[in-house]
Amino acid sequence: MRGMARPVVLGLLLGMLSLPVPARAAAFINPWGGVIFGNDQATTGFRAVGFSFGDAGHGLVGTETTVGIAPGFFGKGVENYVLDLMAGFTIGKTFKAKTDHDTRPYGLIEGGTIRTSIGGIGTGTDLVRNNIGLAVGGGTTVALNDRLLVKGEVRYIRAFQSHDAANSLNANLQDFHYWRTEFGIVIH
């Protein structure tokens, strides 16, 4: 899976940049890479990749759907990952700059599902669970030109009704939560 990720993302980026789009389009796609922190059992560092897409809107409110995966979330002892699929709203005003580098600071709230998977060691029993989740955070986008922006954000992600369960890594899944920063480009 890792060997194919880079060529697929590069192909999508090149394809999106070659599409004709009106200069004031609000629809976007945002491939990103991220850093996980704020969970004592997580392996911190550059651990997450994903993409977001939606409509930034021409006003104050926009929509966004985010898919993120953190392979090796709990370390390298056994195959494991955390996958989140969230959808919600962004709230923020675009500020026109004198340098044509429009800036949009925003807050976000998204709801969806968080899938936690931890492989079994020798038992063949894997722990796979899906929990309802919530993400809150904020960030900013800065336009480089009419079609390309850079984006940075931080979000807090929490799973609801996440009870502890036996697993091969002895990871405590009670009240599961973590923070993630995301850095990427936005293509209109």
Side-chain angles (χ1 to χ4, degrees), residues 128-186:
V128 178
R129 66 191 302 168
N130 294 307
N131 292 101
I132 300 297
L134 179 70
V136 294
T140 192
T141 60
V142 177
L144 299 177
N145 58 40
D146 287 342
R147 299 174 58 138
L148 189 64
L149 299 91
V150 291
K151 178 179 178 181
E153 81 176 29
V154 63
R155 60 176 60 204
Y156 174 73
I157 301 170
R158 181 170 192 82
F160 292 102
Q161 297 180 343
S162 58
H163 304 292
D164 201 13
N167 60 75
S168 61
L169 294 176
N170 293 322
N172 182 357
L173 301 175
Q174 182 78 29
D175 299 323
F176 186 68
H177 66 278
Y178 58 97
W179 288 83
R180 179 173 71 212
T181 58
E182 300 171 8
F183 303 98
I185 59 171
V186 179

Coordinates of all heavy atoms in Angstrom, one line a residue, residues 128-186:
V128 N -10.9 -5.0 15.8 CA -11.4 -4.0 14.9 C -12.6 -3.4 15.4 O -13.6 -4.1 15.7 CB -11.6 -4.6 13.5 CG1 -12.2 -3.5 12.5 CG2 -10.4 -5.3 12.9
R129 N -12.7 -2.1 15.6 CA -13.9 -1.5 16.1 C -14.1 -0.1 15.4 O -13.2 0.5 15.0 CB -13.7 -1.3 17.6 CG -12.6 -0.3 18.0 CD -12.3 -0.2 19.4 NE -13.4 0.1 20.3 CZ -13.3 -0.1 21.6 NH1 -12.2 -0.5 22.2 NH2 -14.3 0.3 22.4
N130 N -15.4 0.2 15.4 CA -15.8 1.5 14.8 C -16.6 2.2 15.9 O -17.4 1.7 16.5 CB -16.7 1.3 13.6 CG -16.0 0.6 12.4 OD1 -15.0 1.1 12.0 ND2 -16.6 -0.5 11.9
N131 N -16.2 3.5 16.1 CA -16.8 4.4 17.1 C -17.3 5.6 16.4 O -16.7 6.1 15.4 CB -15.9 4.7 18.2 CG -15.5 3.6 19.1 OD1 -14.5 3.0 18.9 ND2 -16.4 3.2 20.0
I132 N -18.4 6.2 16.9 CA -18.8 7.5 16.5 C -17.7 8.5 17.0 O -17.3 8.4 18.1 CB -20.2 7.9 17.1 CG1 -21.2 6.9 16.6 CG2 -20.6 9.3 16.7 CD1 -21.4 6.9 15.1
G133 N -17.4 9.5 16.1 CA -16.3 10.4 16.5 C -16.7 11.8 16.2 O -17.6 12.1 15.4
L134 N -15.9 12.7 16.8 CA -16.1 14.2 16.6 C -14.7 14.8 16.5 O -13.8 14.4 17.2 CB -16.8 14.8 17.8 CG -17.0 16.3 17.8 CD1 -18.1 16.6 16.8 CD2 -17.5 16.8 19.2
A135 N -14.6 15.7 15.5 CA -13.4 16.5 15.4 C -13.7 18.0 15.5 O -14.7 18.4 14.9 CB -12.7 16.2 14.0
V136 N -12.9 18.7 16.2 CA -13.0 20.2 16.3 C -11.6 20.7 16.1 O -10.6 20.1 16.5 CB -13.7 20.6 17.7 CG1 -15.1 20.2 17.8 CG2 -12.9 20.1 18.8
G137 N -11.5 21.9 15.5 CA -10.2 22.5 15.4 C -10.3 23.7 14.6 O -11.3 24.4 14.5
G138 N -9.2 24.1 13.9 CA -9.1 25.3 13.1 C -7.8 25.3 12.4 O -6.9 24.5 12.6
G139 N -7.8 26.2 11.5 CA -6.6 26.4 10.6 C -6.7 27.6 9.7 O -7.5 28.5 10.0
T140 N -5.9 27.6 8.7 CA -5.9 28.7 7.8 C -5.4 28.2 6.4 O -4.6 27.3 6.3 CB -5.0 29.9 8.3 OG1 -5.3 31.0 7.5 CG2 -3.6 29.6 8.2
T141 N -5.9 28.9 5.4 CA -5.4 28.6 4.0 C -4.9 30.0 3.5 O -5.4 31.0 3.8 CB -6.6 28.1 3.1 OG1 -7.6 29.1 3.0 CG2 -7.1 26.8 3.5
V142 N -3.9 29.9 2.7 CA -3.3 31.1 2.1 C -3.1 30.8 0.6 O -2.5 29.8 0.2 CB -1.9 31.4 2.7 CG1 -1.3 32.6 1.9 CG2 -2.0 31.6 4.2
A143 N -3.7 31.6 -0.3 CA -3.7 31.4 -1.7 C -2.3 31.7 -2.3 O -1.7 32.8 -2.0 CB -4.7 32.3 -2.4
L144 N -1.8 30.8 -3.1 CA -0.6 31.1 -3.9 C -0.9 31.7 -5.2 O -0.2 32.5 -5.8 CB 0.2 29.8 -4.0 CG 0.7 29.1 -2.7 CD1 1.4 27.8 -3.0 CD2 1.5 30.1 -1.9
N145 N -2.1 31.2 -5.8 CA -2.6 31.8 -7.0 C -4.1 31.4 -7.1 O -4.7 31.0 -6.0 CB -1.9 31.2 -8.3 CG -1.9 29.7 -8.4 OD1 -2.9 29.1 -8.1 ND2 -0.8 29.1 -8.8
D146 N -4.8 31.6 -8.2 CA -6.2 31.4 -8.3 C -6.6 29.9 -8.0 O -7.8 29.7 -7.7 CB -6.8 31.8 -9.7 CG -6.8 33.3 -9.8 OD1 -6.7 34.0 -8.8 OD2 -6.9 33.7 -11.0
R147 N -5.7 29.0 -8.2 CA -6.1 27.6 -8.1 C -5.4 26.8 -7.0 O -5.8 25.7 -6.7 CB -5.8 26.9 -9.5 CG -6.6 27.5 -10.6 CD -6.1 26.9 -11.9 NE -6.3 25.4 -11.8 CZ -6.7 24.7 -12.8 NH1 -7.1 25.3 -13.9 NH2 -6.9 23.4 -12.7
L148 N -4.4 27.3 -6.5 CA -3.5 26.6 -5.5 C -3.4 27.4 -4.2 O -3.0 28.6 -4.2 CB -2.2 26.3 -6.2 CG -1.2 25.4 -5.4 CD1 -1.8 24.0 -5.4 CD2 0.1 25.3 -6.2
L149 N -3.6 26.7 -3.1 CA -3.4 27.3 -1.8 C -2.6 26.3 -0.9 O -2.5 25.2 -1.2 CB -4.8 27.5 -1.1 CG -5.8 28.4 -1.8 CD1 -6.7 27.6 -2.7 CD2 -6.7 29.0 -0.7
V150 N -2.1 26.9 0.2 CA -1.4 26.0 1.2 C -2.3 26.1 2.4 O -3.0 27.1 2.6 CB 0.0 26.4 1.5 CG1 0.9 26.2 0.4 CG2 0.1 27.9 1.9
K151 N -2.3 25.0 3.2 CA -3.3 24.9 4.3 C -2.5 24.2 5.5 O -1.8 23.3 5.3 CB -4.4 24.0 3.9 CG -5.5 23.7 5.0 CD -6.6 22.9 4.4 CE -7.6 22.6 5.5 NZ -8.7 21.7 5.0
G152 N -2.8 24.7 6.6 CA -2.3 24.2 7.9 C -3.5 24.2 8.9 O -4.2 25.2 9.0
E153 N -3.6 23.1 9.6 CA -4.7 23.1 10.6 C -4.3 22.1 11.8 O -3.4 21.3 11.6 CB -6.0 22.7 10.0 CG -6.3 21.3 9.8 CD -7.7 21.0 9.3 OE1 -8.3 21.8 8.6 OE2 -8.2 19.9 9.6
V154 N -5.0 22.3 12.9 CA -4.9 21.4 14.0 C -6.3 21.0 14.4 O -7.2 21.8 14.4 CB -4.1 22.0 15.2 CG1 -4.8 23.2 15.8 CG2 -3.8 21.0 16.3
R155 N -6.4 19.7 14.7 CA -7.8 19.2 15.1 C -7.6 18.2 16.3 O -6.7 17.5 16.4 CB -8.5 18.6 14.0 CG -7.9 17.5 13.3 CD -8.7 16.9 12.2 NE -9.1 17.8 11.1 CZ -10.1 17.7 10.4 NH1 -11.0 16.7 10.5 NH2 -10.4 18.5 9.4
Y156 N -8.6 18.3 17.1 CA -8.8 17.3 18.2 C -9.8 16.3 17.8 O -10.9 16.6 17.4 CB -9.2 18.0 19.5 CG -9.5 17.1 20.7 CD1 -8.5 16.5 21.3 CD2 -10.8 16.9 21.1 CE1 -8.8 15.7 22.4 CE2 -11.1 16.1 22.1 CZ -10.1 15.5 22.8 OH -10.4 14.6 23.9
I157 N -9.5 15.0 17.9 CA -10.4 13.9 17.4 C -10.7 13.0 18.6 O -9.8 12.6 19.3 CB -9.7 13.1 16.3 CG1 -9.4 14.1 15.1 CG2 -10.6 12.0 15.8 CD1 -8.6 13.5 14.0
R158 N -12.0 12.8 18.8 CA -12.4 12.0 20.0 C -13.4 11.0 19.6 O -14.3 11.3 18.8 CB -13.0 12.9 21.1 CG -13.4 12.1 22.3 CD -13.7 13.1 23.4 NE -13.9 12.4 24.7 CZ -12.9 12.0 25.5 NH1 -11.7 12.2 25.1 NH2 -13.1 11.4 26.6
A159 N -13.3 9.7 20.1 CA -14.3 8.7 19.8 C -15.2 8.6 21.0 O -14.8 8.7 22.2 CB -13.6 7.3 19.7
F160 N -16.5 8.5 20.8 CA -17.5 8.4 21.8 C -17.8 6.9 22.1 O -17.8 6.1 21.2 CB -18.8 9.1 21.5 CG -18.5 10.6 21.4 CD1 -18.4 11.3 20.2 CD2 -18.4 11.3 22.6 CE1 -18.2 12.6 20.2 CE2 -18.2 12.7 22.6 CZ -18.1 13.4 21.3
Q161 N -18.1 6.6 23.3 CA -18.5 5.3 23.8 C -17.4 4.3 23.4 O -17.6 3.1 23.0 CB -19.8 4.8 23.2 CG -20.9 5.7 23.7 CD -22.3 5.2 23.1 OE1 -22.3 4.5 22.1 NE2 -23.3 5.7 23.7
S162 N -16.1 4.7 23.6 CA -15.0 3.8 23.3 C -14.5 3.2 24.6 O -13.9 3.8 25.4 CB -13.8 4.6 22.7 OG -13.4 5.7 23.5
H163 N -14.9 1.9 24.8 CA -14.6 1.2 26.0 C -13.3 0.4 25.7 O -13.0 0.1 24.6 CB -15.8 0.2 26.3 CG -17.1 1.0 26.5 ND1 -17.3 1.8 27.5 CD2 -18.2 1.0 25.7 CE1 -18.5 2.3 27.4 NE2 -19.1 1.8 26.3
D164 N -12.6 0.1 26.8 CA -11.4 -0.7 26.7 C -11.7 -2.1 26.2 O -12.8 -2.6 26.5 CB -10.7 -0.7 28.0 CG -9.2 -1.0 27.9 OD1 -8.7 -1.0 26.7 OD2 -8.6 -1.3 28.9
A165 N -10.8 -2.7 25.5 CA -11.0 -4.0 25.0 C -9.6 -4.7 25.0 O -8.6 -4.0 24.7 CB -11.6 -4.0 23.6
A166 N -9.6 -6.0 25.2 CA -8.3 -6.7 25.1 C -7.8 -6.7 23.7 O -8.5 -6.8 22.7 CB -8.5 -8.2 25.5
N167 N -6.4 -6.4 23.6 CA -5.8 -6.4 22.3 C -4.3 -6.8 22.5 O -3.8 -6.8 23.6 CB -5.9 -5.0 21.7 CG -5.3 -3.9 22.5 OD1 -4.1 -3.8 22.5 ND2 -6.2 -3.1 23.2
S168 N -3.7 -7.2 21.4 CA -2.3 -7.7 21.4 C -1.3 -6.6 21.9 O -0.2 -7.0 22.3 CB -2.0 -8.3 20.1 OG -2.0 -7.3 19.1
L169 N -1.6 -5.4 21.8 CA -0.6 -4.3 22.2 C -0.9 -3.8 23.6 O -0.2 -2.9 24.1 CB -0.7 -3.2 21.2 CG -0.2 -3.5 19.8 CD1 -0.4 -2.3 18.9 CD2 1.3 -3.9 19.8
N170 N -1.9 -4.3 24.2 CA -2.4 -3.8 25.5 C -2.6 -2.3 25.5 O -2.4 -1.6 26.5 CB -1.4 -4.2 26.6 CG -1.3 -5.7 26.9 OD1 -2.3 -6.3 26.9 ND2 -0.1 -6.2 27.1
A171 N -3.1 -1.8 24.4 CA -3.4 -0.4 24.3 C -4.7 -0.1 25.0 O -5.7 -0.9 24.8 CB -3.5 0.0 22.8
N172 N -4.8 0.9 25.8 CA -6.0 1.3 26.5 C -6.8 2.1 25.5 O -6.4 3.2 25.1 CB -5.6 2.1 27.7 CG -6.9 2.5 28.5 OD1 -8.0 2.3 28.1 ND2 -6.6 3.2 29.7
L173 N -8.0 1.6 25.2 CA -8.9 2.3 24.2 C -10.0 3.0 24.9 O -10.9 3.5 24.2 CB -9.4 1.3 23.2 CG -8.3 0.6 22.4 CD1 -8.9 -0.5 21.5 CD2 -7.5 1.6 21.6
Q174 N -10.0 3.1 26.2 CA -11.0 3.8 27.0 C -10.9 5.3 26.7 O -9.8 5.9 26.7 CB -10.8 3.6 28.5 CG -11.8 4.3 29.4 CD -13.1 3.5 29.4 OE1 -13.1 2.3 29.2 NE2 -14.2 4.2 29.6
D175 N -12.0 5.9 26.3 CA -12.1 7.4 26.0 C -11.0 7.7 25.0 O -10.2 8.7 25.2 CB -11.9 8.2 27.3 CG -13.0 8.0 28.3 OD1 -14.2 7.8 27.8 OD2 -12.7 7.9 29.5
F176 N -10.9 7.0 23.9 CA -9.9 7.2 22.8 C -10.0 8.6 22.2 O -11.0 9.1 21.8 CB -10.1 6.1 21.8 CG -9.0 6.1 20.7 CD1 -7.7 5.8 21.1 CD2 -9.3 6.5 19.4 CE1 -6.7 5.8 20.1 CE2 -8.3 6.5 18.5 CZ -7.0 6.1 18.8
H177 N -8.8 9.3 22.2 CA -8.7 10.6 21.6 C -7.3 10.9 21.2 O -6.3 10.2 21.7 CB -9.2 11.7 22.6 CG -8.3 11.8 23.8 ND1 -8.4 10.9 24.8 CD2 -7.2 12.6 24.0 CE1 -7.4 11.2 25.7 NE2 -6.7 12.2 25.2
Y178 N -7.1 11.9 20.3 CA -5.7 12.3 19.9 C -5.8 13.7 19.2 O -6.9 14.1 18.8 CB -5.0 11.3 19.0 CG -5.8 10.9 17.7 CD1 -5.4 11.5 16.5 CD2 -6.8 10.0 17.7 CE1 -6.1 11.2 15.4 CE2 -7.4 9.6 16.6 CZ -7.1 10.2 15.4 OH -7.7 9.9 14.3
W179 N -4.7 14.3 19.0 CA -4.6 15.5 18.2 C -3.9 15.2 16.9 O -3.0 14.3 16.9 CB -3.8 16.6 19.0 CG -4.5 17.2 20.2 CD1 -4.6 16.6 21.4 CD2 -5.2 18.4 20.2 NE1 -5.4 17.4 22.3 CE2 -5.7 18.5 21.5 CE3 -5.5 19.4 19.3 CZ2 -6.5 19.6 21.9 CZ3 -6.3 20.5 19.7 CH2 -6.7 20.6 21.0
R180 N -4.2 16.0 15.9 CA -3.5 15.8 14.6 C -3.3 17.2 14.0 O -4.2 18.0 13.9 CB -4.3 14.9 13.7 CG -3.6 14.7 12.4 CD -4.3 13.7 11.5 NE -5.6 14.2 11.0 CZ -6.7 13.4 10.8 NH1 -6.6 12.1 11.1 NH2 -7.8 13.9 10.4
T181 N -2.1 17.5 13.6 CA -1.8 18.6 12.7 C -1.8 18.2 11.3 O -1.3 17.0 11.0 CB -0.5 19.4 13.0 OG1 0.5 18.4 12.9 CG2 -0.5 19.9 14.4
E182 N -2.3 19.0 10.4 CA -2.3 18.6 8.9 C -1.7 19.8 8.1 O -2.0 20.9 8.4 CB -3.7 18.4 8.5 CG -4.5 17.3 9.2 CD -5.9 17.2 8.9 OE1 -6.4 18.0 8.0 OE2 -6.6 16.5 9.5
F183 N -0.8 19.4 7.2 CA -0.2 20.4 6.3 C -0.4 19.9 4.9 O -0.1 18.7 4.6 CB 1.3 20.6 6.6 CG 1.5 21.0 8.0 CD1 1.9 20.0 9.0 CD2 1.4 22.3 8.4 CE1 2.1 20.4 10.3 CE2 1.6 22.7 9.7 CZ 2.0 21.7 10.7
G184 N -0.9 20.7 4.0 CA -1.1 20.2 2.6 C -1.3 21.4 1.7 O -1.2 22.6 2.0
I185 N -1.7 21.0 0.5 CA -2.1 21.9 -0.6 C -3.6 21.8 -0.8 O -4.2 20.8 -0.6 CB -1.2 21.7 -1.8 CG1 -1.5 20.3 -2.4 CG2 0.2 22.0 -1.6 CD1 -0.9 20.2 -3.8
V186 N -4.2 22.9 -1.3 CA -5.6 22.9 -1.7 C -5.7 23.3 -3.1 O -5.1 24.2 -3.6 CB -6.4 23.9 -0.8 CG1 -7.8 23.9 -1.2 CG2 -6.2 23.6 0.7

